[in-house]
Amino acid sequence: MPVASARTSGRRLSAIITPVRAYDLIKRKRDGGRMTGEEFRFLIRGYLAGEVPDYQMAAFLMAVFLRGLDEEETALLTEAMLHSGLILDLSGLERPKVDKHSTGGVGDKVSIVLAPLVASAGVVVPMISGRGLGHTGGTLDKLESIPGFRTEMSLDEFREALWTTGVAIMGQTEEIAPADRRLYALRDVTATVESIPLIASSIMSKKLSEGLDGLVLDVKVGSGAFMKTVEEAEALARVMVGTGNSLGVRTVAVLTDMDEPLGRMVGNSLEIKECINLLKGWAEEDLLEVTLTLGAWMLYIAEEMVSRGAPPAIDDGVLMEKRKRLEGLLSSGKALERFLDMIEAQGGDPEIAARPGLLPGAGRIRPVYSPAEGYIRRVDAEKVGVASVLLGAGRSRMEDGIDHGAGVMLNRKSGTKVARGEPLATLHYNDEGNIEEACRLVEGAFEIGPEPPGRRRLIRKVVLA
Ligand code: URA
């Protein structure tokens, strides 16, 4: 740092002190130093204005990847990214605004049923969601398999849908956290995605722009998730919960199992069919359990907002009462009604509920048979996810197109006893280019042994602070 003499005038002093430079910040972080909020703002603003070039930002991201950020720095980076765009003002809506976000998995269609379900309980759910990448599916891709459904909306349209329906799900726009969009693309090509502070600031900068009162995070753990162990998932959850709470949004994280796909369907229109079944009362046990658990926490947070300062005590009884309410909304058909209202408000065809055949299908199917007799001990989520991408249901690069009708249906899940030659899964596809590889992967995903597996623990942990 340059040293100014005591006789230097204020004007001259500002001319002498070297202004902050990206180079100095990269060097500081490389050497394990800390950053201030102002420095993060300088970097983010400079990057978006083209004054900090990609190569310097890439070096900074790698320094963060290797050295990390502490909790306070992560919150400061998130704040700088959040303020790179607009924050939705939903203050005119009197009801509590609570969203859910999942870190991504295979067969994870929870958002599609949970958002209208919780909205039917009187909570506003403004959900800005993402596309699938790698072996994980994306809510927007699934919804776009509904004929006419629009996930690209202006913020005014989004607000209007929230006012009329209480729920809307759309994609990120140019106005929402533009810094994240640019940084994510850069991380993707510089091997800096798998960093807890960078994942946390990326997710939270988008979520906090929704003008929320509360947020429930579904942090997936297991083979089909970003975080493979409970320890890693808990570390990510703690950073995100700390960041959300410190920025004024009541945030809770639930760690849920992603070792096996959720439900039976993996692939876009297949998953929409499974969502319709759940809303009509025919639910897969694991999918329903995760949906009700996350929904109960959303209602809990919403109630906390309403009672202002006198939150209900967190105990199983309180959460159980909320689960019962949600079950009532499912069995009365109110949640399905809200789902259809949401589809209609976003330009989609609500007839799909009565006629699921209107959804895109696959021209061909191929069963995968059990190579042995025994108990299914596990169905590896990552292998099923990769197979589904190979069949066309996902994309390897952001710009790839997808086949909404393709995917994998699991005929059997873990815990079931199977005979040799019994169908384990059915592959749905239109393009047979990768069919043999997809078959091999799905067959290999089923671990079959002489003993039944232990009970699958779907809800691993809840992180409140
Ligand atoms: N999802 C995001 O939005 N960002 C990440 O960095 C990882 C997952």
Side-chain angles (χ1 to χ4, degrees):
M1 285 288 278
V3 180
S5 83
R7 287 185 289 120
T8 314
S9 77
R11 256 185 80 237
R12 283 196 47 223
L13 186 69
S14 63
I16 291 169
I17 290 179
T18 316
V20 66
R21 296 183 308 161
Y23 175 90
D24 300 317
L25 300 178
I26 296 166
K27 186 162 178 277
R28 173 138 35 95
K29 192 38 84 184
R30 181 199 70 188
D31 296 339
R34 290 191 77 256
M35 300 267 298
T36 66
E38 190 155 342
E39 289 164 344
F40 282 125
R41 284 193 291 281
F42 164 82
L43 268 184
I44 295 291
R45 274 199 211 117
Y47 184 53
L48 289 180
E51 288 153 12
V52 173
D54 275 347
Y55 55 81
Q56 282 194 312
M57 189 49 99
F60 180 75
L61 291 171
M62 186 56 83
V64 170
F65 183 94
L66 296 172
R67 288 297 194 162
L69 299 179
D70 65 25
E71 252 192 50
E72 192 190 344
E73 286 178 295
T74 306
L76 292 171
L77 171 60
T78 306
E79 210 171 358
M81 290 166 68
L82 167 67
H83 291 292
S84 70
L86 293 178
I87 300 176
L88 266 180
D89 180 9
L90 300 177
S91 54
L93 267 169
E94 297 278 291
R95 286 169 289 149
K97 276 87 55 188
V98 182
D99 190 13
K100 185 270 323 187
H101 180 81
S102 155
T103 53
V106 179
D108 180 8
K109 65 240 357 134
V110 170
S111 289
I112 295 166
V113 280
L114 184 62
L117 170 61
V118 170
S120 71
V123 176
V124 176
V125 186
M127 192 176 274
I128 295 177
S129 211
R131 298 196 177 277
L133 193 59
H135 68 275
T136 67
T139 299
L140 300 181
D141 298 324
K142 295 170 198 185
L143 285 169
E144 284 174 0
S145 65
I146 301 173
F149 195 99
R150 284 196 311 122
T151 59
E152 276 179 27
M153 300 168 94
S154 69
L155 288 182
D156 283 341
E157 287 174 316
F158 189 58
R159 247 189 302 259
E160 190 177 331
L162 292 172
W163 246 269
T164 53
T165 320
V167 55
I169 305 180
M170 72 162 193
Q172 199 179 353
T173 70
E174 293 293 332
E175 300 122 304
I176 298 287
D180 173 59
R181 188 196 292 267
R182 294 275 315 275
L183 289 180
Y184 194 89
L186 195 57
R187 286 166 59 208
D188 210 20
V189 292
T190 54
T192 50
V193 169
E194 303 92 339
S195 147
I196 286 179
L198 294 180
I199 294 174
S201 53
S202 163
I203 291 176
M204 295 305 283
S205 63
K206 283 182 290 238
K207 287 284 126 179
L208 299 182
S209 65
E210 294 171 346
L212 299 174
D213 297 309
L215 175 64
V216 175
L217 296 162
D218 180 4
V219 181
K220 298 287 185 201
V221 55
S223 90
F226 255 130
M227 300 289 142
K228 307 290 182 201
T229 67
V230 172
E231 291 70 31
E232 286 172 319
E234 188 175 349
L236 175 62
R238 288 208 185 281
V239 173
M240 290 197 288
V241 167
T243 301
N245 286 329
S246 73
L247 296 178
V249 174
R250 178 75 164 101
T251 307
V252 168
V254 184
L255 271 54
T256 69
D257 178 81
M258 188 30 75
D259 231 19
E260 180 160 327
L262 211 46
R264 280 185 190 272
M265 306 293 193
V266 179
N268 302 291
S269 66
L270 288 171
E271 293 192 43
I272 295 290
K273 286 179 191 159
E274 190 166 29
C275 290
I276 295 169
N277 285 345
L278 189 154
L279 290 164
K280 285 182 172 174
W282 309 306
E284 279 307 312
E285 212 181 297
D286 57 352
L287 178 60
L288 184 65
E289 174 62 24
V290 172
T291 303
L292 292 176
T293 302
L294 297 170
W297 278 106
M298 288 173 82
L299 294 192
Y300 169 83
I301 289 181
E303 195 168 297
E304 213 179 54
M305 295 302 138
V306 173
S307 61
R308 296 241 154 73
I314 301 174
D315 65 36
D316 289 348
V318 171
L319 289 167
M320 194 49 77
E321 177 264 316
K322 303 204 173 342
R323 279 176 73 111
K324 290 255 168 305
R325 229 169 107 205
L326 295 171
E327 281 169 345
L329 290 162
L330 282 172
S331 57
S332 66
K334 289 244 170 1
L336 175 64
E337 227 172 83
R338 194 59 69 105
F339 175 64
L340 299 180
D341 290 346
M342 176 183 86
I343 292 180
E344 204 159 8
Q346 296 192 226
D349 184 357
E351 264 299 291
I352 54 147
R355 294 166 58 208
L358 291 173
L359 290 162
R364 298 166 189 207
I365 57 168
R366 162 95 75 101
V368 173
Y369 299 105
S370 178
E373 179 187 311
Y375 289 94
I376 299 173
R377 297 186 53 80
R378 178 168 176 251
V379 186
D380 186 307
E382 186 172 18
K383 288 186 178 146
V384 176
V386 173
S388 162
V389 173
L390 288 176
L391 294 172
R395 50 174 81 71
S396 308
R397 290 166 307 158
M398 215 58 199
E399 58 277 14
D400 289 349
I402 55 172
D403 179 349
H404 285 106
V408 180
M409 183 182 118
L410 303 176
N411 299 81
R412 299 280 182 269
K413 294 200 60 173
S414 61
T416 327
K417 191 160 189 224
V418 287
R420 186 155 185 262
E422 206 175 310
L424 297 173
T426 311
L427 310 188
H428 292 237
Y429 61 104
N430 291 303
D431 176 353
E432 62 185 352
N434 295 317
I435 185 69
E436 299 307 330
E437 178 61 10
C439 262
R440 257 194 305 279
L441 271 168
V442 171
E443 189 183 316
F446 282 81
E447 288 176 20
I448 296 171
E451 302 291 333
R455 199 175 146 69
R456 185 174 166 206
R457 280 187 54 222
L458 277 170
I459 311 299
R460 301 290 184 86
K461 200 160 202 149
V462 177
V463 174
L464 297 168

